[in-house]
Each structure stands twice: as C-alpha cells, then as structure tokens.
Amino acid sequence: MRGSAQPVRIHASEHKIQEEQICERADAIIRKLQKAGFEAYLVGGCVRDLLLGLTPKDFDIATSANPEQVRKLFSSARLIGRRFRLAHIYYGRDYIEVATFRAPHDESSQGQVNEQGRILHDNVYGTLEEDVWRRDFTINALFYDPVRGDVLDYVGGMQDLAKRRLHLIGDAEQRYREDPVRMLRALRFVAKLDFVLDGPTGDLIEAMVPLLNDVAPARLFDELLKLLHSGQGWKTFCLLEQYKLLPILLPITAASLAQDDQGIYRKLIQSALSNTDNRIAEGKSVMPAFLFAVLLWEQVHSQMVQAQLKGHPELQALHIAATDVLRDQVKVTAIPRRFSNITREIWGLQSRFHHRDLRRANILLSNPRFRAAYDFLYLRAAAGETRVAEDAAWWTHFQEASPEDRLGLCKNGGKKRRTKRKKTNPAASE
Ligand code: ATP
Ligand code: MG
C-alpha cells in the first residue's frame, strides 16, 4: 500500500498556497477550533485546487471536535446528515462545512458495510491519521493548516498532483465497492482537472459499473448534475460513454445514441453541453431542466410520433410520451419535479413554434419558458433535425424585428422574407 503512518510535512516555503487565498471565515473557524484545543485543517477539494493554482469552489474543514462540540463553539452551527453527520456553520445563507475526522468502520451501528462491501453509515469518529484513509483519491486527502502554513500528505497526494494522475487510496476494488459513486467522482475530476486515471483506478471501472445500480436514485441525480455541470460537461459525457457508464446513468440517452445513424442527436447533445460549459465559464446560470430536455428528447419525440400515429392529438401525444420517458429516467436518477416540470414545458412549447399569427406569437414570446424553449428549438435545428430549421429561423427573425416588421412577418406567414440566423449560439438560460 502506498503512503505511510508518518505524513510528509510540506512547509509554507515549499508549496504555493498563499495566506490571502484562504477564505477568511474558514480561517477564523480553524483558529477558533485550534484555540479550543482541537485539531482543525482545510481538507479535500480546496487544498487540491489551491495547490493546482485553481480557485476553490468551497472551503471544507476537518477537525477532531465532534459535531456536538462544534455546535457548542459556534452559535450559527447546524448539524445535518444521518449517513454522514457534520456541521454547517452559517453566515447568512452561506455556510462552511466542518466534518469530524472519521475512523475505519467496525460492526457497530455507527459504521456499517453491507454484504457487497458498501458503506451504509459513516459516523465512527477517529483521528486525523485514520481520516486520511477513508478519503477517496490521494489528491483529495491533503490537509492544510493555515495557522502553521503546512500541508500534510500521508498518501503521496503531492506526487500525484505533480504527475496529474488520479489514484484511489488503498485497494481500488474495495474502495469502489464501498462507494460506487467514486467511479463517477473519478471521471468528474479527470475531466475537470485534466488528469489521467492511474492503474486500477481506471482499469477497474468498466467491470465495476453494475454496482451503480444499487446507488440511491437521489444521489445519482446529484452526481449526474455535478458531472454535467462541472464546466467540462461535454468532455465528461464522452468519458461516461468511454467507460460504459452511460447505459447505467442515462439508459434512454444511451439507447437513442445507439441508433443515431446520422449523428443528429449526438450533435444536439454536444452543442447543448458545450454551450452549458461556455455559460459556466462566463459565470452565467444553467438549468438542469434544459439538460434533461436535451438528453431525453429523441425518445420523447419518437414516442410522441408513435402516439400520434395511434390517433392522439399532438399535445396529448407529447404528454403521454413525456410522462413515460420521465418516469423511466426518474427510476435511475430522481429528477425533482421542480426540474422535470420545466423540462415538460420546454418540450410542450416546441409545437407552438409552428404558429405564425401575431397574437399567438406574442403570447409565446412572453411565456417565462420562451427563452429556454427557443434555445432548444435552435439547437435542434442546428443539429439537423428535419422540419425545424424554418421555425427556428422564423423565430430568430421575429424576436429581432421591430413591432411593424413583426406584423409583416405574421401577415405573410414568415415565408416571403429571407430570414437571417443569429451569429452566436444560444444556450440554456434561466
Ligand atoms: P469539488 O471541488 O467538486 O467540491 P471535492 O474533492 O471538494 O471536489 P467534495 O464532494 O466537496 O469534493 O468532498 C470533499 C472531500 O471529501 C473530498 O475531497 C474527499 O476527500 C472526501 N470525499 C467526498 N466524497 C467522498 C467519497 N464518496 N468517498 C471518499 N471520500 C470522499
Ligand atoms: Mg468540495
């Protein structure tokens, strides 16, 4: 096994973390915990990102204080989680996460593993030395003490950071069995950090993929969103395909892609995910509902056509198809209704883009989902879907036109004037 009981201590002069990069609140929490006699460190993604020269998403703290002791020290602390109990210290609506060091599991009720080796509870508190080994990857197991300025490395994480490789701590098979979501985390970090999977950390994934079938759909939904809204959504999607994870996480999407002879559907997904990546890079908002509208569209569309052939009117056919497809996907990734309802609206508005009379066009334009529905229509047209190019062009023109021109467009049915297409690619917007 790599790593040792004695950590490598990297002093402030030997690493590139600067004091001023540390979130002041996290720094104050750590000082207060240490003053009260506890050990406290920054840990996980923030240490990794700082060492890589990236801006951390959030600053997580690990401490020897147990959750109750944290609550007593900080009046704004709230304890959360049953499977993994920890404290959130609130500053208005923001909070900083403070987790107690965990120890390896035994058979007690606080720490349990099921017959497949999966962790059910993880509430056995321990020491820093023990906590290191239950973390997932070496690069995520570095501890930083902002008071002394030292980084502690028990597992060779600094070396893996330098070599840009992702390496599970301990026995890779056991670690994936304990928590199959680590496979998804692996691909997320590879895409986000531009790392490579090292040895068994990568080699084992294909064989272990079925373990994900046992993970709670609510957790898979959260992980899927993190994967596709990581800022490297398209790259991550390709990795999911490469490592055969798509049929497990997005079976409907995988089936659609398997029969996508002309590549139209693939192009739709690629442009939607690439636009989402661009929006994230620009600090703009992104919509989970849009993502699912894209990922499930081919199946919804083809089931809708089937229902129409059976005699259902268009909207009813869409309703039947959307209900069926969403129900199947929700079994795998529990999409909350607040998102899936918007996905339905985006689909539902697609047929209304055929209308050309001014009153209906203006009603559609003022619909709160117009923007997302139009962006979706535009991507469908750009991907080469049949019979939507004309609608997309007409609506692009209609939105840009003056009120008089809009009237003209509607009177002549939008067919006489040559329509011009927007130069920039729109993406999902809220
Ligand atoms: P991100 O930048 O995406 O937040 P992160 O590494 O901080 O990346 P978190 O989900 O915030 O990811 O987790 C914080 C830390 O907790 C990780 O760095 C890792 O040490 C540990 N951790 C999280 N999830 C797991 C897991 N499934 N198994 C083992 N350790 C985990
Ligand atoms: Mg984090």
Side-chain angles (χ1 to χ4, degrees):
M1 186 184 282
R2 291 157 31 121
S4 64
Q6 283 306 311
V8 175
R9 197 174 277 276
I10 302 110
H11 297 288
S13 59
E14 298 162 312
H15 62 71
K16 60 176 174 187
I17 302 179
Q18 305 290 321
E19 242 180 274
E20 56 275 15
Q21 293 174 291
I22 310 299
C23 155
E24 282 175 23
R25 289 168 176 166
D27 189 63
I29 293 171
I30 289 176
R31 283 171 196 272
K32 190 166 176 178
L33 282 163
Q34 291 191 0
K35 218 168 151 203
F38 299 108
E39 291 170 76
Y41 297 87
L42 284 174
V43 67
C46 63
V47 182
R48 175 197 71 213
D49 289 350
L50 287 170
L51 288 166
L52 285 171
L54 304 171
T55 307
K57 214 173 60 190
D58 39 38
F59 286 82
D60 296 331
I61 294 171
T63 179
S64 57
N66 68 36
E68 276 304 327
Q69 290 168 320
V70 175
R71 182 156 66 177
K72 283 196 185 121
L73 271 179
F74 298 90
S75 56
S76 70
R78 264 191 248 158
L79 304 192
I80 61 140
R82 255 160 52 86
R83 186 178 166 274
F84 192 103
R85 194 139 184 84
L86 46 81
H88 283 171
I89 299 181
Y90 273 86
Y91 300 86
R93 290 177 66 183
D94 292 340
Y95 63 81
I96 291 198
E97 199 164 283
V98 180
T100 305
F101 298 144
R102 256 54 175 190
H105 314 97
D106 54 23
E107 297 305 310
S108 78
S109 61
Q110 272 79 38
Q112 281 179 0
V113 175
N114 74 359
E115 58 279 10
Q116 278 97 41
R118 192 151 63 87
I119 298 176
L120 302 176
H121 295 280
D122 194 4
N123 284 327
V124 180
Y125 304 127
T127 61
L128 166 63
E129 288 75 14
E130 289 169 322
D131 188 83
V132 170
W133 302 100
R134 58 128 204 130
R135 294 187 176 269
D136 48 8
F137 305 102
T138 59
I139 60 165
N140 285 348
L142 296 165
F143 290 70
Y144 176 64
D145 178 349
V147 181
R148 297 179 60 163
D150 292 352
V151 173
L152 299 188
D153 181 6
Y154 286 80
V155 290
M158 290 298 282
Q159 218 181 357
D160 288 338
L161 271 183
K163 298 237 160 100
R164 303 189 83 81
R165 60 191 183 203
L166 197 70
H167 192 108
L168 273 166
I169 296 170
D171 178 67
E173 180 172 341
Q174 185 193 339
R175 301 311 306 283
Y176 279 146
R177 277 191 192 284
E178 278 174 4
D179 184 2
V181 164
R182 288 173 185 151
M183 291 185 259
L184 304 180
R185 291 175 58 82
L187 298 191
R188 177 154 67 86
F189 294 129
V190 162
K192 183 175 131 173
L193 305 172
D194 202 16
F195 271 41
V196 294
L197 289 164
D198 194 38
T201 302
D203 298 343
L204 280 173
I205 293 183
E206 242 184 271
M208 310 217 68
V209 158
L211 292 174
L212 281 164
N213 282 320
D214 296 331
V215 177
R219 189 157 179 230
L220 284 188
F221 171 79
D222 289 346
E223 292 300 327
L224 182 63
L225 267 201
K226 282 190 204 161
L227 282 161
L228 299 181
H229 283 170
S230 65
Q232 292 290 341
W234 173 241
K235 191 171 166 190
T236 311
F237 187 87
C238 294
L239 282 169
L240 290 175
E241 266 190 311
Q242 185 188 333
Y243 283 90
K244 311 280 189 282
L245 283 149
L246 215 51
I248 304 266
L249 279 183
L250 291 164
I252 297 163
T253 312
S256 296
L257 283 173
Q259 49 189 351
D260 180 34
D261 299 335
Q262 291 171 288
I264 291 175
Y265 184 49
R266 185 173 196 80
K267 202 164 158 200
L268 174 68
I269 296 177
Q270 177 173 5
S271 50
L273 288 175
S274 304
N275 287 346
T276 301
D277 292 343
N278 292 339
R279 287 186 65 87
I280 291 169
E282 291 164 17
K284 294 182 183 166
S285 63
V286 290
M287 288 172 85
F290 192 89
L291 203 65
F292 285 97
V294 169
L295 293 170
L296 303 175
W297 172 244
E298 190 280 333
Q299 189 56 228
V300 166
H301 192 241
S302 71
Q303 288 196 20
M304 177 179 137
V305 171
Q306 294 299 320
Q308 280 178 294
L309 288 175
K310 284 187 195 152
H312 292 284
E314 190 173 8
L315 267 182
Q316 196 181 62
L318 173 72
H319 179 71
I320 295 168
T323 303
D324 270 12
V325 171
L326 282 168
R327 187 199 50 225
D328 287 347
Q329 182 60 41
V330 162
K331 283 182 200 154
V332 188
T333 58
I335 312 168
R337 266 191 210 275
R338 67 178 188 282
F339 297 138
S340 61
N341 284 344
I342 301 174
T343 302
R344 279 173 178 279
E345 287 179 61
I346 293 171
W347 288 334
L349 291 180
Q350 297 306 298
S351 64
R352 287 172 53 187
F353 286 117
H354 309 321
H355 301 311
R356 293 288 185 271
D357 77 82
L358 188 63
R359 196 182 65 85
R360 291 170 93 171
N362 278 330
I363 291 174
L364 183 50
L365 205 56
S366 60
N367 187 301
R369 300 294 166 225
F370 172 80
R371 191 78 232 159
Y374 163 76
D375 288 350
F376 186 54
L377 176 81
Y378 185 95
L379 292 182
R380 289 173 59 204
E385 221 184 280
T386 48
R387 290 196 290 274
V388 282
E390 199 187 333
D391 285 348
W394 191 89
W395 275 96
T396 304
H397 197 52
F398 184 78
Q399 289 174 79
E400 289 168 353
S402 66
E404 302 82 61
D405 286 349
R406 282 186 181 175
L407 191 63
L409 270 170
C410 289
K411 273 193 194 138
N412 63 25
K415 283 181 182 143
K416 268 191 187 160
R417 295 182 67 143
R418 278 184 66 80
T419 52
K420 76 170 191 275
R421 184 170 281 186
K422 252 188 174 172
K423 286 194 194 82
T424 51
N425 250 5
S429 52
E430 209 145 28

